[in-house]
Amino acid sequence: MLRRRAVAAAGAGAGWRWVWRQLSAGNVKPLEGIKVLDLTRVLAGPFATMILGDLGAEIIKVERPGAGDETRAWGPPFVGTESIYFLSVNRNKKLASVCDVLIENYVSGKLAEMGLGYKDIEAIAPHIVYCSITGYGQTGPMSQRAGYDSVACAVSGLMHITGPEDGNPVRPGVAMTDLATGLYSHGAIMAGLLQRQKTGRGLHIDCNLLSSQVACLTHVAANYLSGGKEAKRWGTAHESIVPYQAFKTKDGYLVVGAGNDQHFAIVCKILSLPALSEEPRYKTNKLRVQNRGELIDVLSARFSEKTTQEWLQLLEGSGIPYGPINSIQQAFSEPQVKHNDLILEMYHPTAGNIAVPGPAVRFSDFKISNPKPPPLTGQHTVEVLKTLLGYSDNFIKELLAAETVAQHELN
């Protein structure tokens, strides 16, 4: 949008000066002016639209009248009347209907039955970037199945490689498959907007949990596809690098990774075991992988003799990748987490002051600041119907009376 206007103005000789004034105005976000119609719920879709909102897009979130997004009830814990799960991924959002981007996560074909599929929207808004998020894809033998993170985590193979070496499969502690899909969707929508800038037309994006997670198997998948090697669970250890895992200390756990032979020699020196790096069985990483069991036993015994903090002090400045296994409280107490502004505070009309994880990425030309809290169910209904759609007060009253839409009145 900005670029098209700038090019048009350039013919009059003032184009680049106009662009510079706009960019110099301060904290101009890349997606300002972009409206996103958000028909998603739960996590993958809301995570994607939250990131788009952080980048300046206006997120217009449509929910069922009354109950709204089902994650509003996914608790405890709750803050006020809202679940913390909902509050964590729904900042910067409104309810509404006309946009540059439409993102939805209904089962394939469901919106088409309601006249809201891509072909229906494309006919009236050919500029639309329409992103569909499903469990397994728009077509194929599993396309009509509901998709939830844990199920897709299992089907994709991720759960097969997660957990103790000799234990049962384990679900990751957060919904990584949903989150990966949200990230893929966010990136795909950005690419769709760039494509529209080049062609003048929108497009349909097919994102799904299964494809996102299979793609994220990366080298583990390549080992099987190229070498026929089936994967297994390794706990905190790495299949191809030794040592690279968690070790129990006197009072907690520490992760240490020796990515090459020089790193291994440094680790041995710090552990006061210098002769270990000269041991023929451990001279190279290949040999350390072959003799993993005996080596890990020796290292584990040594790490158990000191506290985590003592080892952290000894490893500081060594060039070795290391870190403690933090609790969540400890993670948010880390000086680097605070320095990276990863605690985002905002005020919610019913929950009061709340804090959620902040954006992961920093930009040199603008800051992601002054976030809007997740809306109450129906909080912006009348505002959107009036300002974006131009409906009259009488017509809006009729919609409210018929319970076609709902409005939340703030006290």
Side-chain angles (χ1 to χ4, degrees):
M1 217 66 88
L2 177 62
R3 179 168 177 163
R4 286 181 184 168
R5 290 177 183 169
V7 170
W16 292 114
R17 288 195 299 274
W18 182 87
V19 171
W20 179 251
R21 284 198 302 272
Q22 294 299 310
L23 295 178
S24 300
N27 209 34
V28 177
K29 297 180 182 178
L31 294 186
E32 284 183 9
I34 296 293
K35 292 183 173 63
V36 178
L37 179 58
D38 181 5
L39 304 183
T40 68
R41 62 260 192 245
V42 189
L43 185 55
F47 189 62
T49 55
M50 181 187 73
I51 299 172
L52 297 173
D54 286 340
L55 296 176
E58 181 180 7
I59 310 300
I60 304 162
K61 185 175 176 70
V62 177
E63 304 177 59
R64 290 177 299 169
D69 187 322
E70 50 261 56
T71 61
R72 289 181 182 272
W74 281 17
F78 292 92
V79 178
T81 59
E82 301 284 7
S83 76
I84 288 179
Y85 194 110
F86 175 81
L87 293 173
S88 69
V89 291
N90 284 284
R91 62 177 178 264
N92 291 314
K93 301 186 179 181
K94 283 186 180 180
L95 308 175
S97 78
V98 232
C99 304
D100 302 280
V101 176
L102 186 153
I103 178 168
E104 56 92 8
N105 63 350
Y106 287 80
V107 172
S108 177
K110 188 67 177 176
L111 284 184
E113 294 174 5
M114 301 161 59
L116 293 172
Y118 173 62
K119 294 297 182 185
D120 303 297
I121 300 298
E122 182 190 29
I124 59 172
H127 68 281
I128 201 81
V129 174
Y130 190 116
C131 180
S132 297
I133 299 176
T134 57
Y136 304 98
Q138 291 296 301
T139 60
M142 299 171 69
S143 61
Q144 294 304 301
R145 291 190 191 179
Y148 264 51
D149 173 89
S150 287
V151 180
C153 175
V155 175
S156 68
L158 176 61
M159 203 176 286
H160 173 72
I161 59 173
T162 305
E165 184 175 356
D166 299 317
N168 295 323
V170 171
R171 173 186 177 273
V174 293
M176 289 308 304
T177 302
D178 268 345
L179 297 173
T181 307
L183 288 170
Y184 270 115
S185 301
H186 144 253
I189 289 168
M190 298 287 280
L193 290 170
L194 286 173
Q195 178 76 349
R196 186 181 74 178
Q197 190 178 44
K198 294 177 179 180
T199 67
R201 294 188 61 85
L203 74 169
H204 186 221
I205 299 167
D206 174 4
C207 288
N208 64 82
L209 305 185
L210 179 64
S211 295
S212 297
Q213 190 54 70
V214 169
C216 285
L217 293 178
T218 60
H219 70 281
V220 174
N223 286 343
Y224 169 74
L225 294 172
S226 298
K229 184 178 180 181
E230 179 57 82
K232 57 173 284 188
R233 290 183 287 283
W234 286 99
T236 65
H238 194 288
E239 178 181 15
S240 306
I241 304 173
V242 176
Y244 186 0
Q245 66 180 76
F247 293 95
K248 195 176 189 321
T249 66
K250 187 179 286 187
D251 63 348
Y253 290 89
L254 181 75
V255 174
V256 175
N260 56 52
D261 297 337
Q262 183 181 5
H263 278 179
F264 178 63
I266 295 172
V267 168
C268 292
K269 183 178 179 180
I270 291 172
L271 269 61
S272 300
L273 298 170
L276 204 60
S277 62
E278 299 300 323
E279 167 68 44
R281 292 176 298 165
Y282 310 138
K283 287 280 286 183
T284 67
N285 183 68
K286 182 178 179 180
L287 291 168
R288 291 193 293 275
V289 170
Q290 292 173 357
N291 298 286
R292 177 193 302 263
E294 305 97 308
L295 176 58
I296 296 303
D297 285 345
V298 174
L299 296 178
S300 295
R302 182 72 179 106
F303 274 112
S304 68
E305 295 174 6
K306 294 182 183 292
T307 66
T308 299
Q309 189 57 42
E310 287 173 328
W311 286 122
L312 293 177
Q313 290 173 352
L314 290 169
L315 287 160
E316 179 66 30
S318 66
I320 303 299
Y322 70 94
I325 294 185
N326 283 331
S327 67
I328 304 303
Q329 185 274 329
Q330 290 169 327
F332 281 101
S333 298
E334 283 281 0
Q336 191 65 45
V337 169
K338 294 179 178 179
H339 175 80
N340 289 355
D341 292 329
L342 290 172
I343 303 173
L344 187 63
E345 297 179 346
M346 51 191 165
Y347 180 79
H348 188 274
T350 61
N353 292 319
I354 60 174
V356 295
V361 179
R362 289 180 171 188
F363 299 87
S364 62
D365 286 353
F366 67 92
K367 290 185 177 180
I368 298 172
S369 56
N370 301 319
K372 297 176 183 176
L376 301 173
T377 309
Q379 180 180 339
H380 302 104
T381 300
V382 170
E383 174 191 341
V384 167
L385 292 175
K386 262 188 176 182
T387 59
L388 292 184
L389 298 180
Y391 289 160
S392 68
D393 289 341
N394 287 338
F395 186 63
I396 293 173
K397 287 178 182 178
E398 291 178 14
L399 292 175
L400 291 168
E403 297 184 350
T404 305
V405 297
Q407 168 78 356
H408 183 99
E409 299 292 342
L410 291 175
N411 295 326

